[in-house]
Amino acid sequence: MTRTVYVNGEYLPETEATVSIFDRGFLMADAVYEVTSVLGGKLIDFEGHAVRLKRSLDELDMAEPCTKEELLEIHRKLVELNEIDEGLIYLQVTRGSDGDRDFVFPSEDTKPTTVLFTQNKPGLADSPAAKKGAKIISIEDIRWGRRDIKTVQLLYPSMGKMMAKKAGADDAWMIEDGYVTEGTSNNAYFVKDGVIVTRPLSNDILHGITRKAVLRMAAEAQLKIEERLFTIEEAKEADEAFTTSASAFVMPVVEIDGIALGDGSPGPIAKRLREIYLDESRKAAI
Ligand code: PMP
């Protein structure tokens, strides 16, 4: 089945979809994105992703390409056309192209480029990786200072994943000024003596949509949460650890820099939060 994608108002086979070589998303990484998961053919936390998209666009003085209702319609239509039961919808909005390359932003009437495509991932929720848990390494965080804006500048996170892979691990947590910021594509947590610790929101990390939902559900389940800076040493001495993201939900972490956490298998709080998150999200999906 050929994938149908969305480009600037049109639904096209992926082989026929094009954007300009002058597009600022391509030339300057002048673009923002969102990834929304699909479970049972329905969208998980669409509202959260739509709100964060608007915030990213506002922070970069980019116009909204369409209304939230239109965006929902496009997401739903792509799910339907591509018969997605479990998977992801990737959305990217760029500042567009005025037909040349220039550091200066193009004129205000330049149309943004909007691209959406689906990724079919049967078994996304029942992932073997989550049952095993992830091994992570720590690396320096050398990204720019506005990580709260979800831009497509993903070269360093991509290099971080490669560093992890080379070291025989699954992912990397990044460290700045002695404290863990976040994972290459997820927010980072550890649990010690029943308390969940995670870095507070600021411009230093992405304000994860899954983070918000999981912290709310953890509080509802009477779990203790501390939002504070933490070191990788603290995390290595934790009882358990985990990450959150829209594409991997709650992912247990079983090893940090070669040191096993607890008994080296996914911890009870991470497993419980994954279950609660998947349950609640399925119920609220639209
Ligand atoms: N931090 C970073 C750097 C990310 O790339 C992501 C995933 N896009 C997250 C955190 C998790 O955010 P969300 O829960 O909204 O997917």
Side-chain angles (χ1 to χ4, degrees), residues 101-116:
R101 180 179 181 272
D102 196 339
F103 279 81
V104 174
F105 289 178
S107 67
E108 300 251 306
D109 50 7
T110 302
K111 284 205 172 60
T113 299
T114 308
V115 170
L116 285 92

Side-chain angles (χ1 to χ4, degrees), residues 202-248:
S202 68
N203 290 352
D204 300 333
I205 61 169
L206 187 75
H207 301 189
I209 301 305
T210 321
R211 177 189 186 279
K212 189 175 178 189
V214 166
L215 289 183
R216 175 174 50 77
M217 292 168 196
E220 283 166 7
Q222 316 295 328
L223 294 168
K224 289 196 203 85
I225 300 157
E226 270 179 26
E227 291 182 67
R228 63 167 173 85
L229 298 183
F230 65 93
T231 64
I232 198 76
E233 283 71 33
E234 265 188 287
K236 284 178 198 170
E237 285 166 14
D239 302 324
E240 53 174 300
F242 61 93
T243 60
T244 61
S245 67
S247 55

Side-chain angles (χ1 to χ4, degrees), residues 33-35 49 52 143 150 154 174 182-187 206-211 244-247:
Y33 76 108
E34 283 296 330
V35 178
H49 290 285
R52 185 172 62 189
R143 297 173 301 161
K150 197 164 167 64
L154 296 175
M174 295 176 283
E182 59 188 333
T184 57
S185 62
N186 42 58
N187 291 114
L206 187 75
H207 301 189
I209 301 305
T210 321
R211 177 189 186 279
T244 61
S245 67
S247 55

Side-chain angles (χ1 to χ4, degrees), residues 137-155:
I137 59 165
S138 58
I139 61 173
E140 196 189 342
D141 196 339
I142 59 166
R143 297 173 301 161
W144 81 324
R146 289 303 307 274
R147 302 156 193 159
D148 57 311
I149 308 173
K150 197 164 167 64
T151 75
V152 301
Q153 301 176 61
L154 296 175
L155 181 54

